[in-house]
Amino acid sequence: MPFRLFAVILFMLLGFLGCKSPESRRPTQQSTGSSIEASVARNIKRFAAEVQAIETYIAQDTTHAYQTSADGFWYAYDLKVAIEAPTPVTGSEVSFSYEVKDLNGLTILSYDQVGTVQYLVDQSKQDLISGIREGIKLMKAQEIITLVLPSYKAYGYYGLEGKIGANTPIVVSLKLNQMSNLDN
């Protein structure tokens, strides 16, 4: 009998201890945010270096009078249309071509490689860099502008496989061939 009593008490004790709710495991490594802070510091430093390189490029380019856009890039007109004409708005259908160079003047994508692009402004799912999408909105038909784009307005962190490295500012010559404002 004492063995049975011992077995029942042991069974009840194990049952009681087994009902305890599980404890969550603690992380083996505590995140202090220092890696995020280090990333922010690296990006600020990288962006400052990009801006310095762009400002040097602009200072050396005596053929253009660059303006700063509200969207975070620089641009200058190579061919400006003097007459009053509309600029593209959301829904405008445009035809344009462009070429891409690095800040040293080396051609990365030529007009021939790119060809003529048909684009529905702000409504197309085309894979265009944001600097070109925003630059088009500054133009009238038949105008040509030069855009100097920091990497975040160009090909960004990924670059363009085999052609442009990560975080590389670029120079884009953009020609707006035709435009039709569908909203008008």
Side-chain angles (χ1 to χ4, degrees):
M1 180 94 170
F3 180 72
R4 270 188 171 179
L5 184 60
F6 177 73
V8 169
I9 293 173
L10 182 63
F11 182 71
M12 289 177 61
L13 185 61
L14 288 175
F16 178 71
L17 291 175
C19 291
K20 185 177 175 188
S21 62
E23 287 186 30
S24 59
R25 295 183 295 157
R26 300 282 178 224
T28 57
Q29 187 177 28
Q30 297 286 332
S31 177
T32 62
S34 62
S35 64
I36 293 172
E37 292 168 5
S39 176
V40 168
R42 274 192 314 274
N43 285 330
I44 288 171
K45 192 175 186 179
R46 181 196 45 78
F47 180 69
E50 276 187 40
V51 169
Q52 180 63 41
I54 289 170
E55 288 174 346
T56 300
Y57 173 84
I58 289 172
Q60 292 173 351
D61 185 359
T62 57
T63 60
H64 293 101
Y66 286 95
Q67 302 172 45
T68 305
S69 80
D71 294 312
F73 59 89
W74 295 261
Y75 67 99
Y77 287 91
D78 295 319
L79 177 62
K80 186 165 178 66
V81 173
I83 60 170
E84 280 297 315
T87 57
V89 294
T90 298
S92 297
E93 192 173 335
V94 297
S95 168
F96 67 93
S97 55
Y98 66 95
E99 80 174 349
V100 177
K101 295 182 179 183
D102 65 12
L103 294 182
N104 296 321
L106 178 66
T107 301
I108 298 165
L109 293 172
S110 69
Y111 284 112
D112 292 334
Q113 288 174 307
V114 174
T116 300
V117 179
Q118 303 295 323
Y119 176 62
L120 197 57
V121 176
D122 290 342
Q123 293 184 345
S124 177
K125 300 275 187 211
Q126 282 177 279
D127 189 22
L128 288 174
I129 59 175
S130 64
I132 291 177
R133 288 193 312 259
E134 294 160 1
I136 287 171
K137 296 177 199 174
L138 300 172
M139 303 174 74
K140 300 173 190 167
Q142 302 304 312
E143 286 187 330
I144 302 172
I145 64 173
T146 297
L147 307 170
V148 183
L149 305 174
S151 65
Y152 74 94
K153 289 290 180 184
Y155 294 97
Y157 175 74
Y158 296 104
L160 185 59
E161 190 175 329
K163 297 184 183 221
I164 301 172
N167 300 318
T168 303
I170 60 172
V171 179
V172 175
S173 180
L174 182 61
K175 296 178 183 179
L176 183 57
N177 302 323
Q178 294 179 2
M179 177 191 71
S180 63
N181 280 347
L182 303 176
D183 294 344
N184 292 342

